[in-house]
């Protein structure tokens, strides 16, 4: 029996769990990176039932509802010996989950390194978890070395939807960019996911030397219309990134939705390609 510390306290786990259920996208990703095939996963936000990059590993795995509302009955039927969840989504049902199986929770949904550590401890795969983190550190060092004096670069992460525009701060992609030597404009480096912009008058809040943008939602016509409306504004034309032609469209799954270790490496692949690095 091992005692695993996590965001909700401590949980005793017997042996090495074989039947694992994961209740958020980052955990779906991380258990695969750790070489484990779960018996149950939550549905992805897009590309259902799981993200394309995980379909080979998780395409046939039993679905247990949505991340924001997992199906406790379906989880119970799977007779898991470990549940990996996150306090961000599942704090209110922690006791119910714990009655089904030993349950561990991460604190922040988007902190993929915490997910690797907690999952590694819970799955009795600490060595693999440490190797993943070490491999990541090596890639970060390689990226910084190849970028050289181009870093630091001040960057903003923007997101256009059909009905709103967001700036993401220190969420998933923000934490990764910080790791890689990027900086944030003043006011965008607080430890929160970000902010919703209420009108085009807020466009100057996006100002940075580089903008990474992704679009969200199924109503592509409405999204494109809003994007065209905002980017036609003189305020948009005045942004440093726009004047320098440094606005890049990026993949929403890699940069926001997936939230795991494998997707972090896919995001880094995007940047290697973006900057012409090998």
């Amino acid at each position: 029996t091992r005692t695993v510390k996590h965001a909700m306290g401590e949980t005793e786990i017997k042996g090495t769990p074989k039947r694992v259920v994961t209740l958020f996208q980052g955990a779906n990703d991380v258990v695969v990176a750790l070489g484990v095939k779960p018996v149950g996963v939550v549905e992805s936000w897009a590309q259902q039932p799981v993200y394309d990059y995980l379909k080979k590993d998780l395409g046939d795995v039993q679905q247990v509802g949505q991340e924001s509302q997992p199906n406790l009955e379906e989880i119970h039927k799977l007779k898991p010996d470990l549940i990996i969840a996150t306090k961000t989504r599942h704090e209110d049902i922690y006791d119910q989950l714990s009655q089904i199986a030993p349950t561990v929770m991460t604190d922040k949904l988007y902190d993929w390194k915490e997910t690797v550590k907690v999952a590694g401890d819970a799955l009795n795969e600490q060595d693999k978890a440490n190797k993943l983190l070490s491999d990541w550190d090596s890639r970060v060092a390689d990226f910084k070395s190849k970028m050289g004096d181009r870093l630091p670069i001040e960057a903003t992460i923007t997101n256009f939807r059909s009905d709103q525009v967001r700036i993401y701060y220190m969420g998933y992609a923000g934490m990764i960019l910080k790791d890689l030597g990027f900086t944030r404009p003043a006011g965008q480096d607080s430890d929160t996911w970000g902010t919703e912009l209420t009108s085009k008058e807020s466009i100057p809040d996006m100002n940075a030397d580089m903008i990474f943008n992704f679009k969200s939602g199924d109503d592509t016509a409405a999204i494109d219309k809003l994007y065209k409306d905002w980017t036609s504004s003189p305020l948009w034309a005045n942004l440093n990134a726009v004047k320098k032609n440094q606005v890049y469209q990026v993949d929403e799954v890699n940069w926001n939705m997936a939230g795991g270790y494998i997707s972090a490496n896919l995001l880094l692949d995007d940047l290697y390609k973006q900057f012409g690095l090998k």
Side-chain angles (χ1 to χ4, degrees), residues 15 39 89 146 180 186 190 252:
V39 295
R89 300 275 194 228
K146 287 173 178 171
L180 294 170
S190 58
E252 179 187 23

Side-chain angles (χ1 to χ4, degrees), residues 105-169:
M105 288 198 176
T106 65
D107 184 32
K108 290 187 176 71
L109 176 71
Y110 53 79
D111 188 345
W112 66 268
K113 290 185 181 181
E114 181 194 11
T115 305
V116 169
K117 289 171 185 171
V118 171
D121 286 345
L123 291 164
N124 205 19
E125 294 285 4
Q126 294 91 340
D127 288 346
K128 279 187 184 175
N130 289 335
K131 175 73 163 54
L132 293 180
L133 295 172
S134 174
D135 288 348
W136 172 258
D137 288 342
S138 296
R139 286 202 78 193
V140 168
D142 181 70
F143 177 82
K144 286 181 170 179
S145 172
K146 287 173 178 171
M147 286 293 285
D149 59 9
R150 283 191 275 182
L151 292 172
I153 298 171
E154 186 182 73
T156 291
I157 302 164
T158 59
N159 171 222
F160 281 77
R161 305 184 173 214
S162 61
D163 59 347
Q164 61 176 264
V165 181
R166 296 181 172 190
I167 297 176
Y168 279 88
Y169 296 170

Side-chain angles (χ1 to χ4, degrees), residues 68 127 163 196 212:
S68 52
D127 288 346
D163 59 347
E196 292 179 13
F212 296 105

Side-chain angles (χ1 to χ4, degrees), residues 35 74 82 86 148 184 202 237:
E74 290 299 320
L82 175 66
T86 178
R184 307 288 297 181
S202 300

